[in-house]
């Protein structure tokens, strides 16, 4: 243990009883604490000048050390790895002080210390370590590009054309030597042997070969380089690779031939160069049934047709004929889907929907199976035009229009009044109640024998009159139908709807109940009620909804949404 009386040259005081003032002052000095003015006076009063000199010398030494450390910390603090993380220059007692010295020595920091440096610090250390491990002797400054190159070198990942170009331009011999193995492999793969195996002397060739490796097309100057330097085998490989790529790009992969002397290669090269094909080349593609390739030939015309569809103009008959001739049924289908309001569908031209839309567009009736399919796909129904009002879709209207015309012609041919009733019903669904009225306006019921048929004709006429807001006449027809044939539920349903129209809900419910007794289904009645509700506004709607929910809250739960 140090004898502080000897260190501070006050030995003649060491035998005095402890604790004493001198022992306290010297201990404080040993601890590096500044003395107070009274403490300095005490030493002076007791003529301890030698002790005072030692203490002042120690203080000066500590101050010089402190100043030295502060200067060092200030210098290191300005380091670009730390400056933006430590906004205030740290002092000697700061946690960051040691981290600054470690950064200056390029040492790795602990997890807790990483908060004092920016993100690039350890990247630089990794970069330097990687340079050393891979024998890179040049003083290459850190950068993201060269850091990625060194990472590829260490992981034995092939350099890209951009990497090779960077290495060549910066002329670092250690990195250039690292390219030699990759260049040799490329030469072997693409039959591009040279007498001189220097990477630097063959950099143009190296970049071309790497470009091929990356499946990139060569430009004319690169082709010319290969020709001028006698790399015929390489050119043949290049053309085969290009041929395969062109067949994939222009969807001609069903042709197995890969010989570059093939006429297909020449045709595809013209397409790639955006050169218009002569008729003989087009015929060549047609004969080989390369319909998808032909779409690239007709791209401008196809784009024009698509623009017509998108703008809502549709296709003319000659447009449709052209599409059929050139296997562009997908364009026809796009037009039909837009025209028939089913653009959201993802069906292809091979689907049943395409067949159905073509038949509707050609005014051909649908089969029962096709109608069932549309119903299952929820395509034969009305749609909401806005929040309150539903309208039939074009598929719905077109289908019922065709059915109405068919049954009308059947009536003309057979004079069977059931066909007339069917035609009238379909005209109503097709939103053409005036046609239905015209068909049924001169009926001679006395000549129509089956009472059920008389009732059916009166009911469908009454429905058409209701559609035209001629409700009193509609009621006469409904009641007449009931007089002729009391067992059919349809005229009772019509009477219920007519009562609802005039807000006589109690009477309407009674008629609906009579209809149910005769076989009517709730769905049919609810459909009528929904039509009425969607035409109502404000208080009238609220009153009907309240009536329905009071009558049967479970059955009419859907009314809450309206």
């Amino acid at each position: 243990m140090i004898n502080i009386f000897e260190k501070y040259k006050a030995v003649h005081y060491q035998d005095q009883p402890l604790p004493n003032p001198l022992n306290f002052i010297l201990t404080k000095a040993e601890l590096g604490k500044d003395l107070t003015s009274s403490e300095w006076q005490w030493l002076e009063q007791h003529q301890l000048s030698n002790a005072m000199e030692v203490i002042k010398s120690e203080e000066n030494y500590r101050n010089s050390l402190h100043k030295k450390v502060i200067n060092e910390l200030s210098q290191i603090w300005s380091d670009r790895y730390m400056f933006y993380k430590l906004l205030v220059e740290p002092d000697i007692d700061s946690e960051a002080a040691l981290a600054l010295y470690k950064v200056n020595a390029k040492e790795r920091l602990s997890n807790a210390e990483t908060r004092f440096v920016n993100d690039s610090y350890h990247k630089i250390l990794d970069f330097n370590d990687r340079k050393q491990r891979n024998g890179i002797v040049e003083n290459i400054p850190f950068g993201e590009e060269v850091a990625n190159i060194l990472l590829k070198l260490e992981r034995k990942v092939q350099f890209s054309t951009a990497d090779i170009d960077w290495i060549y331009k910066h002329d670092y011999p250690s990195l250039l030597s690292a390219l030699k193995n990759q260049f040799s492999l490329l030469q072997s793969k693409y039959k591009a042997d040279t007498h001189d195996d220097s990477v630097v002397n063959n950099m143009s060739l190296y970049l071309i070969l790497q470009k091929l490796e990356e499946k990139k097309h060569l430009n004319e100057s690169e082709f010319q380089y290969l020709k001028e330097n006698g790399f015929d085998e390489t050119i043949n490989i290049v053309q085969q690779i290009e041929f395969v790529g062109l067949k994939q790009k222009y969807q001609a992969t069903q042709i197995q031939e890969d010989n570059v002397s093939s006429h297909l290669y020449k045709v595809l090269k013209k397409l790639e160069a955006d050169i218009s094909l002569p008729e003989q080349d087009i015929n060549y593609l047609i004969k080989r049934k390369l319909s998808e390739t032909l779409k690239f030939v007709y791209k401008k015309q196809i784009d024009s047709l698509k623009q017509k569809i998108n703008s809502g103009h549709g296709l003319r008959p000659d447009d449709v004929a052209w599409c059929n001739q050139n296997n562009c049924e997908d364009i026809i289908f796009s037009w039909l889907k837009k025209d028939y309001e089913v653009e959201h569908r993802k069906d292809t031209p091979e689907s049943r929907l395409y067949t159905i839309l073509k038949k509707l567009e050609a005014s051909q009736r649908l089969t029962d199976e096709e109608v069932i399919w549309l119903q299952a796909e929820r395509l034969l129904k009305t749609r909401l035009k806005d929040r309150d009002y539903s309208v039939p879709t074009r598929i719905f209207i077109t289908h019922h229009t065709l059915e109405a015309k068919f049954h009308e012609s059947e009536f003309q041919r057979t004079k069977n009044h059931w066909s007339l009733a069917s035609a009238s019903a379909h005209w109503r669904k097709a939103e053409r109640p005036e046609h239905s009225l015209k068909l049924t306006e001169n009926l001679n019921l006395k000549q129509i024998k089956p009472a059920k048929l008389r009732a059916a004709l009166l009911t469908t006429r009454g429905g058409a009159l209701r559609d035209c807001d001629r409700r009193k006449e509609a009621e006469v027809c409904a009641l007449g139908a009931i007089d002729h044939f009391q067992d059919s539920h349809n005229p009772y349903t019509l009477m219920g709807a007519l009562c609802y129209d005039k807000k006589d809900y109690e009477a309407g419910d009674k008629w609906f109940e009579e209809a149910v007794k005769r076989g009517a289904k709730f769905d049919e009645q609810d459909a009528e009620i929904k039509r009425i509700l969607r035409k109502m506004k404000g208080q009238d709607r609220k009153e009907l909804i309240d009536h329905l929910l009071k009558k049967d809250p479970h059955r009419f739960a859907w009314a809450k949404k309206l």
Side-chain angles (χ1 to χ4, degrees):
M1 183 175 176
I2 190 170
N3 186 324
I4 59 173
F5 293 99
E6 288 182 0
K7 179 177 179 179
Y8 290 96
K9 299 180 180 181
V11 179
H12 55 287
Y13 276 90
Q14 66 182 351
D15 294 330
Q16 290 190 6
L18 298 176
N20 60 54
L22 180 58
N23 179 258
F24 164 70
I25 292 171
L26 296 182
T27 302
K28 188 174 178 181
E30 186 67 11
L31 290 170
K33 302 294 183 180
D34 292 336
L35 301 187
T36 65
S37 58
S38 60
E39 290 165 347
W40 284 112
Q41 287 175 4
W42 189 92
L43 291 171
E44 190 174 356
Q45 289 170 0
H46 289 77
Q47 299 179 353
L48 290 166
S49 57
N50 290 336
M52 291 173 68
E53 287 180 8
V54 175
I55 293 171
K56 286 180 179 178
S57 176
E58 290 282 321
E59 281 187 353
N60 290 337
Y61 176 66
R62 285 195 301 271
N63 287 337
S64 66
L65 286 179
H66 187 268
K67 186 176 181 180
K68 174 178 174 290
V69 171
I70 291 300
N71 288 337
E72 288 173 349
L73 287 172
S74 179
Q75 183 180 353
I76 302 171
W77 174 63
S78 62
D79 190 295
R80 62 193 176 101
Y81 305 124
M82 308 191 74
F83 183 72
Y84 294 107
K85 282 286 186 173
L86 293 172
L87 301 179
V88 178
E89 183 176 333
D91 60 31
I92 196 169
D93 296 320
S94 167
E95 282 187 79
L98 178 60
L100 263 69
Y101 277 95
K102 289 171 79 171
V103 166
N104 193 58
K106 296 296 184 285
E107 291 185 18
R108 293 191 178 273
L109 304 180
S110 68
N111 290 336
E113 291 169 329
T114 54
R115 71 183 189 274
F116 300 127
V117 294
N118 61 35
D119 295 338
S120 63
Y121 176 68
H122 281 104
K123 288 184 181 178
I124 300 245
L125 296 186
D126 293 339
F127 176 72
N128 291 333
D129 290 347
R130 197 166 281 123
K131 281 199 301 181
Q132 187 175 5
R133 285 196 302 271
N134 290 280
I136 306 301
V137 297
E138 291 84 10
N139 185 25
I140 304 175
F142 175 77
E144 291 293 339
E145 196 167 21
V146 68
N148 289 331
I149 289 172
L150 284 179
L151 185 61
K152 287 182 180 180
L153 175 62
E154 186 162 76
R155 294 179 177 176
K156 295 181 171 45
V157 175
Q158 198 172 51
F159 294 121
S160 67
T161 51
D163 297 333
I164 298 166
D165 190 51
W166 189 94
I167 294 169
Y168 177 66
K169 286 178 179 176
H170 289 80
D171 193 23
Y172 294 119
S174 298
L175 279 176
L176 283 168
S177 65
L179 299 176
K180 188 172 182 180
N181 186 52
Q182 180 173 322
F183 179 45
S184 178
L185 291 172
L186 290 173
Q187 282 183 294
S188 176
K189 181 175 181 178
Y190 294 102
K191 312 294 184 188
D193 293 332
T194 57
H195 298 297
D196 181 3
D197 62 356
S198 166
V199 171
V200 175
N201 296 338
N202 290 286
M203 188 53 65
S204 295
L205 176 61
Y206 189 4
L207 289 169
I208 288 173
L209 298 182
Q210 181 56 33
K211 195 172 179 180
L212 292 176
E213 188 70 3
E214 294 171 11
K215 295 182 171 40
K216 295 177 181 176
H217 290 299
L218 301 187
N219 58 40
E220 284 301 318
S221 64
E222 290 165 335
F223 264 112
Q224 193 62 32
Y225 175 89
L226 294 175
K227 289 178 184 177
E228 290 175 355
N229 289 276
F231 294 112
D232 296 335
E233 286 187 275
T234 308
I235 291 172
N236 187 55
I237 293 172
V238 170
Q239 290 176 328
Q240 286 182 327
I241 293 172
E242 183 184 36
F243 194 11
V244 170
L246 289 173
K247 285 198 291 184
Q248 290 176 340
K249 180 176 180 179
Y250 293 103
Q251 300 184 39
T253 52
Q254 61 265 52
I255 304 298
Q256 300 298 317
E257 183 181 8
D258 60 358
N259 192 322
V260 294
S261 62
S262 163
H263 187 65
L264 178 61
Y265 177 56
K266 297 173 184 175
V267 171
L268 297 182
K269 286 274 284 183
K270 289 178 185 177
L271 280 178
E272 183 68 8
D274 200 22
I275 298 171
S276 296
L277 298 187
E279 188 176 350
Q280 65 183 48
D281 287 344
I282 294 174
N283 290 335
Y284 174 88
L285 296 174
I286 293 172
K287 287 178 182 178
R288 282 151 186 81
K289 298 181 179 179
L290 294 171
S291 54
E292 295 303 314
T293 309
L294 282 163
K295 289 181 180 179
F296 291 94
V297 179
Y298 301 129
K299 185 177 184 303
K300 289 182 180 178
Q301 190 159 354
I302 288 172
D303 288 345
S304 174
L305 292 175
K306 287 181 178 178
Q307 180 60 35
K308 287 178 69 174
I309 294 169
N310 291 335
S311 61
H313 296 306
L315 301 182
R316 302 189 309 268
D318 57 323
D319 294 329
V320 174
W322 185 90
C323 288
N324 283 321
Q325 182 180 347
N326 293 286
N327 198 35
C328 291
E329 289 185 299
D330 54 320
I331 297 176
I332 300 174
F333 196 19
S334 295
W335 160 56
L336 291 174
K337 285 197 291 185
K338 184 176 181 64
D339 217 34
Y340 283 87
E341 303 165 333
V342 287
E343 292 170 278
H344 62 283
R345 299 278 302 196
K346 303 298 182 184
D347 308 67
T348 65
E350 290 73 35
S351 74
R352 177 170 278 185
L353 179 60
Y354 182 47
T355 302
I356 289 172
L357 295 184
K358 283 197 298 182
K359 288 180 73 171
L360 293 178
E361 187 64 19
S363 298
Q364 297 175 9
R365 288 180 72 218
L366 303 182
T367 64
D368 291 342
E369 291 80 7
E370 288 167 338
V371 172
I372 292 169
W373 185 86
L374 286 174
Q375 290 170 335
E377 294 291 314
R378 298 181 62 81
L379 294 175
L380 199 62
K381 60 184 183 64
T382 59
R383 63 175 174 83
L384 279 177
K385 185 175 182 181
D386 53 42
R387 185 175 179 274
D388 297 323
Y389 185 57
S390 65
V391 296
T393 62
R394 189 173 173 210
I395 291 177
F396 184 93
I397 287 179
T398 305
H399 164 64
H400 286 292
T401 299
L402 292 173
E403 290 300 301
K405 289 180 178 179
F406 169 77
H407 288 290
E408 193 173 332
S409 63
E410 281 294 289
F411 173 69
Q412 296 296 332
R413 184 176 68 84
T414 64
K415 304 304 180 184
N416 185 332
H417 282 81
W418 279 115
S419 294
L420 190 64
S422 295
S424 176
H426 282 295
W427 278 125
R428 283 191 64 209
K429 292 179 180 178
E431 297 278 283
R432 303 290 290 276
E434 69 281 1
H435 277 55
S436 178
L437 292 177
K438 188 174 181 180
L439 284 178
T440 57
E441 64 184 353
N442 293 316
L443 290 175
N444 188 344
L445 295 177
K446 293 179 180 179
Q447 294 180 351
I448 299 172
K449 296 302 181 183
K452 186 176 182 179
L453 176 54
R454 291 196 296 272
L457 288 166
L458 284 170
T459 302
T460 188
R461 180 171 176 80
L465 288 165
R466 176 177 171 244
D467 295 338
C468 296
D469 292 328
R470 293 162 61 179
R471 295 190 181 91
K472 288 185 179 180
E473 296 172 78
E475 187 174 326
V476 171
C477 286
L479 293 173
I482 293 171
D483 286 341
H484 282 285
F485 190 74
Q486 296 183 3
D487 293 336
S488 173
H489 62 81
N490 291 317
Y492 294 91
T493 298
L494 176 57
M495 280 300 301
L498 286 166
C499 289
Y500 266 49
D501 282 336
K502 58 186 180 182
K503 305 179 185 62
D504 190 353
Y505 305 131
E506 299 296 335
D509 289 340
K510 291 178 181 178
W511 285 109
F512 282 140
E513 289 168 9
E514 292 298 320
V516 170
K517 291 177 183 177
R518 290 161 177 78
K521 296 179 180 175
F522 286 150
D523 287 349
E524 297 171 356
Q525 294 181 354
D526 290 356
E528 288 294 337
I529 296 170
K530 286 176 183 178
R531 287 178 62 196
I532 296 166
L533 264 173
R534 286 183 178 128
K535 291 181 181 180
M536 285 182 167
K537 303 289 182 183
Q539 186 61 28
D540 289 342
R541 170 183 285 195
K542 184 178 183 305
E543 287 177 5
L544 177 51
I545 291 174
D546 289 344
H547 170 77
L548 294 172
L549 294 175
K550 184 178 179 181
K551 176 182 175 183
D552 191 336
H554 178 72
R555 172 184 166 188
F556 296 108
W558 51 262
K560 295 178 182 178
K561 297 178 182 178
L562 296 176

